[in-house]
Amino acid sequence: MLSDALSYPLNGDSWLRTILVGGLLSLLTVFVIPVFFLQGYYVRILRGASTGGTDAPEFSDWGDLLVDGLKLFAVNLLVSLVVFVAMFAVAAIFGAGSLLSGAGPAADPGSGGGGIFAVFGAVGFLLFLAIVLAIGYVAPGMFANFAREDSIAAAFDVSTVVAGVTTSEYLVAWVLAVVVGLVLGTIASLLSIVVVGIFGLFYVQVVTYYLFGRGFADGLDEKRGGAAATTY
């Protein structure tokens, strides 16, 4: 899977043009609109990888790219809302615990209420971290299912998403994507000072989205008995 992912952005007759266009759009993200075109392109990668595509998609049908990008942005927004609600709830509990811990002894030296709330706050903070990590693991699967089905609702199809992300295929793909992002992403970031790194960062994004789409689809198909085992 890793070798397929690393070669994926370089497959096809127009791979160089695709890398150049993707890099230029990445440079122009300060103007916001190019972000949605890039997001739309990543949707195409997820869709292509999940259906067995071997060549990276081209930048074409820009209207469709924009629409797909806006849809993926909407999915990201809804996922972020879940994180925000969790963060707000934990912050409220943690803040109340800290406040009561400070005020408790003065009001009642024998009271342990503040300490209890502080413990609740600490536990809540750990739960928040667990939620963030869980969403970081599950979210790419949500994006992949959205791309496969071309439906925002599919991103929140709990049974399908859970079935896809609780497979060894998806786990391996997710870990590989993280490693690629950390290693190659760091190298590309360092090279960004001479501009060429921007194109490297786009390459890394293509590789990681391919891994997410491929891992989710392979895992889901394997669990449902609809595909042959994947060779890693």
Side-chain angles (χ1 to χ4, degrees), residues 153-181:
F156 302 94
D157 180 352
V158 177
S159 60
T160 301
V161 171
V162 170
V165 302
T166 53
T167 62
S168 59
E169 289 84 0
Y170 180 80
L171 174 61
V172 170
W174 189 87
V175 171
L176 288 175
V178 171
V179 172
V180 167

Side-chain angles (χ1 to χ4, degrees), residues 3 36 38 43 48 52 80 99 134 138 142 162 182 188 193 196 205 207 220-221:
S3 60
F36 299 118
L38 283 172
V43 171
S80 299
L99 182 62
V138 174
M142 298 171 67
V162 170
L182 288 175
I193 59 176
V196 68
Q205 286 288 86
V207 171
L220 193 60
D221 289 342

Side-chain angles (χ1 to χ4, degrees), residues 4-232:
D4 290 341
L6 293 174
S7 63
Y8 180 76
L10 309 179
N11 293 339
D13 297 332
S14 303
W15 69 267
L16 182 57
R17 175 182 177 275
T18 298
I19 294 291
L20 291 175
V21 172
L24 289 174
L25 285 175
S26 299
L27 282 171
L28 297 173
T29 52
V30 291
F31 298 108
V32 181
I33 296 299
V35 172
F36 299 118
F37 288 111
L38 283 172
Q39 292 286 297
Y41 183 76
Y42 299 147
V43 171
R44 285 189 182 176
I45 295 171
L46 290 168
R47 187 175 296 135
S50 66
T51 55
T54 57
D55 293 351
E58 298 180 7
F59 281 96
S60 59
D61 300 322
W62 291 84
D64 291 341
L65 271 183
L66 180 60
V67 171
D68 282 343
L70 290 171
K71 288 180 179 178
L72 184 57
F73 175 76
V75 173
N76 270 293
L77 196 62
L78 291 171
V79 172
S80 299
L81 182 61
V82 173
V83 177
F84 176 78
V85 170
M87 181 174 64
F88 179 80
V90 170
I93 296 173
F94 190 75
S98 299
L99 182 62
L100 289 174
S101 294
D108 184 358
S111 174
I116 293 174
F117 271 95
V119 171
F120 282 154
V123 171
F125 181 70
L126 293 176
L127 287 174
F128 168 70
L129 289 180
I131 291 172
V132 170
L133 289 174
I135 290 178
Y137 179 77
V138 174
M142 298 171 67
F143 302 154
N145 201 44
F146 150 68
R148 277 165 57 95
E149 303 297 335
D150 192 21
S151 168
I152 291 178
F156 302 94
D157 180 352
V158 177
S159 60
T160 301
V161 171
V162 170
V165 302
T166 53
T167 62
S168 59
E169 289 84 0
Y170 180 80
L171 174 61
V172 170
W174 189 87
V175 171
L176 288 175
V178 171
V179 172
V180 167
L182 288 175
V183 177
L184 296 186
T186 299
I187 295 173
S189 296
L190 293 175
L191 291 175
S192 294
I193 59 176
V194 289
V195 181
V196 68
I198 297 296
F199 301 95
L201 286 172
F202 174 73
Y203 167 86
V204 172
Q205 286 288 86
V206 174
V207 171
T208 55
Y209 273 90
Y210 172 86
L211 286 167
F212 290 142
R214 168 84 177 271
F216 182 83
D218 284 356
L220 193 60
D221 289 342
E222 181 70 18
K223 180 168 285 189
R224 292 176 172 176
T230 301
T231 300
Y232 296 97

